[in-house]
Amino acid sequence: MVQIVYILCSLACLLCAVLLMRGYKRSKHELLFWSATCFIILAFANFILVVDLVLIPTGVDLLLWRSCMSLVAMCVLLYGLIFKSA
């Protein structure tokens, strides 16, 4: 059951990124681009979570990579909110 939640979280992030990118293509509002970029990175971080906890549960610990990717995603979103939202 937990595995399904991880996969659904990854797909939800990817869906949000696609919808935000479609909105950006229509309106050319830069905040949508930075939000879509954030969700793309979060989707990739969730994909690494699935690989780490579902596909290779006793293998290599990818916690540091997942955390770094989430931090980068939040930094991208903050950059867009602070410098590109005007």
Side-chain angles (χ1 to χ4, degrees), residues 9-10 12 17 24-25 28 30 32 37 39 42 52 57 64 73 81:
C9 287
S10 181
Y24 170 71
K25 283 186 177 181
K28 298 296 181 191
E30 288 190 37
L32 290 174
T37 305
F39 274 96
L42 286 176
D52 188 21
L64 181 64
L81 284 172

Side-chain angles (χ1 to χ4, degrees), residues 7-83:
I7 293 170
L8 287 177
C9 287
S10 181
L11 292 176
C13 282
L14 194 59
L15 179 65
C16 288
V18 168
L19 292 174
L20 285 167
M21 195 57 80
R22 283 181 56 198
Y24 170 71
K25 283 186 177 181
R26 264 191 250 146
S27 69
K28 298 296 181 191
H29 191 61
E30 288 190 37
L31 186 57
L32 290 174
F33 172 77
W34 292 106
S35 298
T37 305
C38 171
F39 274 96
I40 289 170
I41 297 170
L42 286 176
F44 196 66
N46 280 329
F47 176 72
I48 290 176
L49 174 74
V50 170
V51 169
D52 188 21
L53 299 181
V54 176
L55 297 179
I56 47 171
T58 58
V60 179
D61 186 20
L62 299 175
L63 177 64
L64 181 64
W65 287 98
R66 289 185 282 135
S67 299
C68 288
M69 292 195 69
S70 297
L71 179 65
V72 168
M74 291 301 115
C75 288
V76 165
L77 185 59
L78 279 176
Y79 176 79
L81 284 172
I82 293 171
F83 295 109

